Amino acid sequence: MSLLSASLLGIDFANPLLNASGVWCRDKAELDALNASAAGSFITKSCTLVPRAGNPEPRYYATPLGSINSMGLPNEGYPYYLDYARHHDYRAKPLFMSVAGLSLADNLAMLAAIRAADLPAIVELNLSCPNVPGKPQIAYDFAAMTEMLEAVSLEYARPFGVKMPPYFDIAHFDEAAAILNRFPHVTFVTCINSIGNALIIDPETESVVIKPKEGFGGIGGDYVLPTALANVNAFYRRCPGKQIIGCGGVSTGEHVFMHLLAGASLVQVGSALYEEGPAIFARLNAELSALLERKGYASIESVRGKLRTL
Ligand code: YRO
């Protein structure tokens, strides 16, 4: 038990930090680097039933304010990450597995296999998965989201989390949270995935900066911190029986502290990890420790959800 100790689903973490799924977690070499880093835990790249090469490059681009990506779910296929999870030493640190099937049936097939392996790995179900072409992603289609969670809760009847895209309307916070609250196996909620379908333009070249989707992609980094904090706090307030993992715009210990104030139990790092590499976790832990000590906090638990209103 130290200053930075954290807890999720009754599991102890040395500190609240981990990677955002998709960053530094596609293959064993990257995952081993996270395991060896100062992160308190780590998560695998969202997996599909079969391996995917993803979209043509360039598919990620960073600016001074953050990043844009349209990776297209490049991953080694779920058996690769399940094999990694089978060989992981959970006494060293907890491991999450991100699952992003291209259909409900694919999610059920992957979750049945993960369930059968009976590992301590924690599932985070990525609800930004495509649905029927021409319809929004699952998490922006509340009927599809309900159907997904009903089926998944039957197939995978143990605690799991959901990775949510950002919402921008109070009615959507209310409806999404009410749906999640119907599913007791959904024990944590990760907010947020990238803000989708943004467009970064280079005025010098007069061009988009990534190749897929005519330059459209999900943005992260400084662009998204206030949106991430709002979503963390909105779900923290509406889902008292669940824990929240914060994700979005974290590149300093102060940003981690803001996510904790908003209600996060753990905090993920995406764009900044992509740019700085796994050494970022030691820096963020040091900055967070110094901030907590300066403010007289003895634990991160004593910070969680302590956001003041006016
Ligand atoms: O392009 C990706 O692999 C990607 N990028 C993100 O910023 N968030 C994601 O959840 C994903 C994977 C899922 C999807 C966007 C390709 C459907």
Side-chain angles (χ1 to χ4, degrees):
M1 181 64 193
S2 74
L3 177 60
L4 295 186
S5 297
S7 173
L8 187 90
L9 315 186
I11 300 162
D12 293 328
F13 296 71
N15 65 70
L17 302 178
L18 68 157
N19 62 304
S21 179
V23 181
W24 223 284
C25 60
R26 182 165 163 195
D27 61 20
K28 183 177 187 315
E30 292 183 343
L31 291 162
D32 285 348
L34 294 179
N35 196 29
S37 79
S41 61
F42 61 115
I43 184 168
T44 57
K45 169 67 184 172
S46 290
C47 60
T48 50
L49 214 41
V50 296
R52 289 169 57 87
N55 289 333
E57 295 180 335
R59 58 193 184 181
Y60 169 94
Y61 184 90
T63 77
L65 294 176
S67 70
I68 186 166
N69 87 83
S70 180
M71 307 301 286
L73 214 34
N75 78 95
E76 306 298 324
Y78 87 88
Y80 180 94
Y81 303 102
L82 190 51
D83 187 60
Y84 188 89
R86 278 198 178 95
H87 294 100
H88 178 61
D89 179 6
Y90 294 87
R91 294 165 306 183
K93 56 181 71 171
L95 172 67
F96 294 79
M97 274 188 78
S98 174
V99 174
L102 302 179
S103 68
L104 171 55
D106 284 8
N107 274 334
L108 296 182
M110 289 189 280
L111 290 167
I114 295 168
R115 179 73 194 88
D118 198 26
L119 298 168
I122 306 161
V123 166
E124 183 186 88
L125 181 65
N126 185 351
L127 290 179
S128 291
C129 32
N131 191 3
V132 184
K135 282 196 132 198
Q137 56 163 287
I138 295 282
Y140 287 160
D141 177 340
F142 290 133
M145 184 165 106
T146 303
E147 187 192 1
M148 173 72 69
L149 292 174
E150 278 171 350
V152 165
S153 292
L154 286 176
E155 186 72 64
Y156 194 80
R158 57 186 268 177
F160 67 94
V162 286
K163 175 76 167 281
M164 307 303 286
Y167 297 99
F168 305 94
D169 192 294
I170 302 300
H172 292 160
F173 289 142
D174 289 343
E175 191 170 354
I179 291 167
L180 297 182
N181 283 335
R182 289 176 42 198
F183 297 97
H185 293 108
V186 175
T187 46
F188 71 93
V189 184
T190 304
C191 305
I192 60 171
N193 207 323
S194 50
I195 297 183
N197 295 303
L199 181 62
I200 289 177
I201 295 174
D202 181 339
E204 203 48 54
T205 60
E206 305 174 16
S207 171
V208 305
V209 297
I210 57 173
K211 182 164 180 168
K213 294 177 67 173
E214 295 170 302
F216 282 56
I219 51 170
D222 291 342
Y223 296 117
V224 314
L225 179 63
T227 298
L229 294 174
N231 277 261
V232 166
N233 193 59
F235 283 91
Y236 178 75
R237 291 179 183 280
R238 288 168 176 76
C239 302
K242 305 188 193 299
Q243 288 184 280
I244 311 297
I245 299 182
C247 182
V250 172
S251 63
T252 69
E254 196 163 72
H255 298 151
V256 178
F257 183 70
M258 291 183 217
H259 271 275
L260 297 174
L261 284 173
S265 292
L266 299 180
V267 177
Q268 300 179 342
V269 186
S271 302
L273 168 60
Y274 196 112
E275 293 305 309
E276 204 170 320
I280 194 173
F281 291 110
R283 176 174 70 79
L284 294 176
N285 278 326
E287 291 174 1
L288 179 60
S289 289
L291 184 59
L292 295 179
E293 277 164 13
R294 175 168 72 74
K295 286 175 159 285
Y297 282 105
S299 69
I300 66 157
E301 193 199 320
S302 58
V303 178
R304 189 189 327 120
K306 292 291 162 33
L307 178 64
R308 299 163 64 174
T309 56
L310 303 177

